[in-house]
Amino acid sequence: MKFTFSKYQIFVVALLAFIQFTVVLDFMILSPLGVQVMDQLKISTTKFGLVVSAYAFSAGISGILAAGFADRFDRKKMLLFFYTGFVLGTVLCGIAPNYEFLLFARIVTGLFGGVIASISFAIIADLFPMEARGRVMGLVMTAFAASQVFGLPIGVFFSNLWGWQSPFWMIAVISGLVGVAALFKLEPIVSHLGHGTENKAIKHLVATAGNSNYLPGFLATMLLATGGYMLMPFGSAFSVHNLGITLEDLPLVYFVTGVVSMAAGPLIGRAADKFGKYPIFLISSLIACGILFYYTAMGITPLWFVILINSALFVVITGRVISAQALNSAMPELRDRGAYMAISSSLQQLSGGIASYAAGLIVVQTPSGYIQGYPNLGYVVIIAILITVAIMHKVNEYVSSKHPAPVKGEKEAALVSET
């Protein structure tokens, strides 16, 4: 029997997608505003880099701190608490008069915003059966592509009109409206309460982090972020100086790539539910390895082919993330779900920061702008992908043992039961 979403479940998916859109956009918007921020605040590239990385590291720390409490409260209250803090941090960015204030504002935003994704994934695992999570993850993950397609161009347009602070006000207003919708329309989510959760936060955190069954999931989550964080910082420079794409054509590359990713996300989610999460992850990973091997060694290339290969790469990366997140959501026991997601999110943020730093040690930018060593970066990412494939096989085995495929007579009951 095919799983059918209720009207309320459709609302929840849309709400979580909008929340992810605002959080991702807030994280991404600072990079294209760099020229204006450095000029107006009179700061160096090193200081600006610290402002950007402060979000990721504070998000990683907050995830660890929140993990012990994540399963002790109504998930709706947890979501509203951290989303309110995120909006406050975004407003502080919008009024930042100097470097020190902006750095503080990004730390505040990261402390609250970094936990929201883990709460959202816990809600998805609570409200949707395993058989539908691929589709749900596919729809929610379109928020990443949507922020690239719609959010960044609009944010940059606003900054050109009213200054670099204005995009943060735009995000704050949108987030406020989404928060009001969550306050009045989202029902309490308390199914995880009363399932033997450890009352003491530190003990719950230690027990979850130290559970040997969860180790493959934590390792996979860390390595899953490696590719994106290693390639992203130098992606635009590589496209311009190595592939020969003009700065004027670069937005077109990102726009088309984002649109393709938005269209592919829900389709990949359906495929993951129909054919299995791990098979889709495996296929996406192997194709990604082939594309990366060719892409990172490319030279001067026509615009149409750069758009084509970037789009293909982002589709398979989207496939890896959607299938991995759907599969990983079934790892923890119900009583540990919030803590598990929070720890995973923290590890992802921290490993991403380390990966970005490591990428800077692997590649070198010459005075002409040409990026040397980019193929070596590709090799490192390919190795990380293949290791992740092996680890995700362990995750799949564990999840399969917990959630065996229902026989024909049991399918209908399994679709509506809570996993």
Side-chain angles (χ1 to χ4, degrees):
M1 178 180 175
K2 183 179 179 181
F3 180 82
T4 302
F5 292 95
S6 67
K7 289 183 178 180
Y8 176 71
Q9 287 175 322
I10 293 173
F11 161 75
V12 172
V13 173
L15 177 71
L16 295 179
F18 270 105
I19 288 174
Q20 285 300 105
F21 172 80
T22 55
V23 174
V24 172
L25 180 58
D26 180 272
F27 174 72
M28 295 176 64
I29 194 67
L30 199 58
S31 292
L33 300 179
V35 175
Q36 291 174 301
V37 173
M38 287 187 287
D39 180 60
Q40 293 186 27
L41 298 185
K42 309 300 181 185
I43 61 176
S44 65
T45 54
T46 303
K47 285 187 174 182
F48 180 73
L50 182 58
V51 169
V52 174
S53 62
Y55 181 103
F57 285 112
S58 64
I61 293 171
S62 70
I64 295 295
L65 296 177
F69 301 92
D71 295 297
R72 297 176 59 192
F73 301 99
D74 173 6
R75 298 210 201 282
K76 174 183 176 179
K77 292 180 179 178
M78 288 284 289
L79 180 66
L80 288 174
F81 173 77
F82 282 99
Y83 201 51
T84 300
F86 163 77
V87 175
L88 173 63
T90 304
V91 170
L92 292 176
C93 293
I95 62 174
N98 53 49
Y99 165 71
E100 291 77 14
F101 195 99
L102 179 60
L103 181 63
F104 168 73
R106 293 312 290 167
I107 292 173
V108 171
T109 310
L111 285 172
F112 288 94
V115 185
I116 292 173
S118 63
I119 299 173
S120 298
F121 291 147
I123 290 173
I124 291 172
D126 283 352
L127 299 185
F128 297 91
M130 187 64 178
E131 292 79 2
R133 283 184 205 162
R135 278 175 284 172
V136 176
M137 291 292 183
L139 291 168
V140 172
M141 293 298 289
T142 58
F144 290 85
S147 65
Q148 179 176 314
V149 173
F150 302 113
L152 288 180
I154 295 174
V156 173
F157 175 75
F158 279 11
S159 70
N160 290 334
L161 288 179
W162 299 301
W164 66 266
Q165 293 99 332
S166 58
F168 292 105
W169 284 104
M170 175 192 73
I171 297 170
V173 170
I174 297 174
S175 301
L177 295 175
V178 175
V180 170
L183 176 64
F184 290 104
K185 296 294 184 179
L186 187 65
E187 297 174 2
I189 303 168
V190 295
S191 61
H192 59 289
L193 301 179
H195 282 74
T197 300
E198 171 61 55
N199 288 326
K200 295 184 178 180
I202 299 299
K203 285 188 176 181
H204 186 44
L205 168 62
V206 173
T208 304
N211 190 326
S212 59
N213 291 327
Y214 300 160
L215 181 59
F218 291 145
L219 291 175
T221 299
M222 290 175 65
L223 288 173
L224 193 65
T226 302
Y229 279 97
M230 276 194 156
L231 294 173
M232 261 179 32
F234 304 98
S236 58
F238 177 76
S239 296
V240 172
H241 299 296
N242 292 47
L243 304 184
I245 302 302
T246 65
L247 285 172
E248 291 74 21
D249 287 332
L250 198 58
L252 178 63
V253 175
Y254 288 127
F255 177 80
V256 175
T257 301
V259 170
V260 171
S261 299
M262 284 181 64
L267 298 177
I268 293 171
R270 286 180 176 274
D273 287 337
K274 183 175 181 179
F275 301 109
K277 279 70 174 176
Y278 184 72
I280 295 300
F281 179 81
L282 176 61
I283 293 171
S284 299
S285 297
L286 294 178
I287 295 175
C289 288
I291 295 176
L292 284 170
F293 183 80
Y294 180 81
Y295 171 74
T296 54
M298 284 168 52
I300 301 299
T301 307
L303 175 62
W304 69 268
F305 191 75
V306 172
I307 292 175
L308 179 64
I309 198 166
N310 265 277
S311 298
L313 181 59
F314 269 76
V315 166
V316 292
I317 288 174
T318 301
R320 294 183 73 239
V321 173
I322 289 172
S323 54
Q325 293 285 14
L327 191 58
N328 215 14
S329 69
M331 281 287 289
E333 300 297 331
L334 182 58
R335 64 179 179 272
D336 300 329
R337 189 171 281 161
Y340 178 89
M341 296 297 183
I343 294 170
S344 295
S345 178
S346 295
L347 292 174
Q348 192 173 58
Q349 295 280 1
L350 294 173
S351 65
I354 295 171
S356 297
Y357 177 75
L361 301 177
I362 295 172
V363 301
V364 176
Q365 188 169 27
T366 65
S368 66
Y370 185 85
I371 304 294
Q372 289 183 340
Y374 211 68
N376 296 332
L377 202 61
Y379 300 149
V380 173
V381 174
I382 289 171
I383 292 172
I385 289 175
L386 294 177
I387 294 174
T388 310
V389 166
I391 297 174
M392 284 300 294
H393 179 67
K394 292 291 185 182
V395 172
N396 184 57
E397 285 184 335
Y398 180 73
V399 170
S400 297
S401 68
K402 285 181 59 183
H403 305 274
V407 298
K408 187 174 181 180
E410 298 173 339
K411 258 185 186 178
E412 184 173 346
L415 284 172
V416 296
S417 67
E418 190 170 83
T419 57

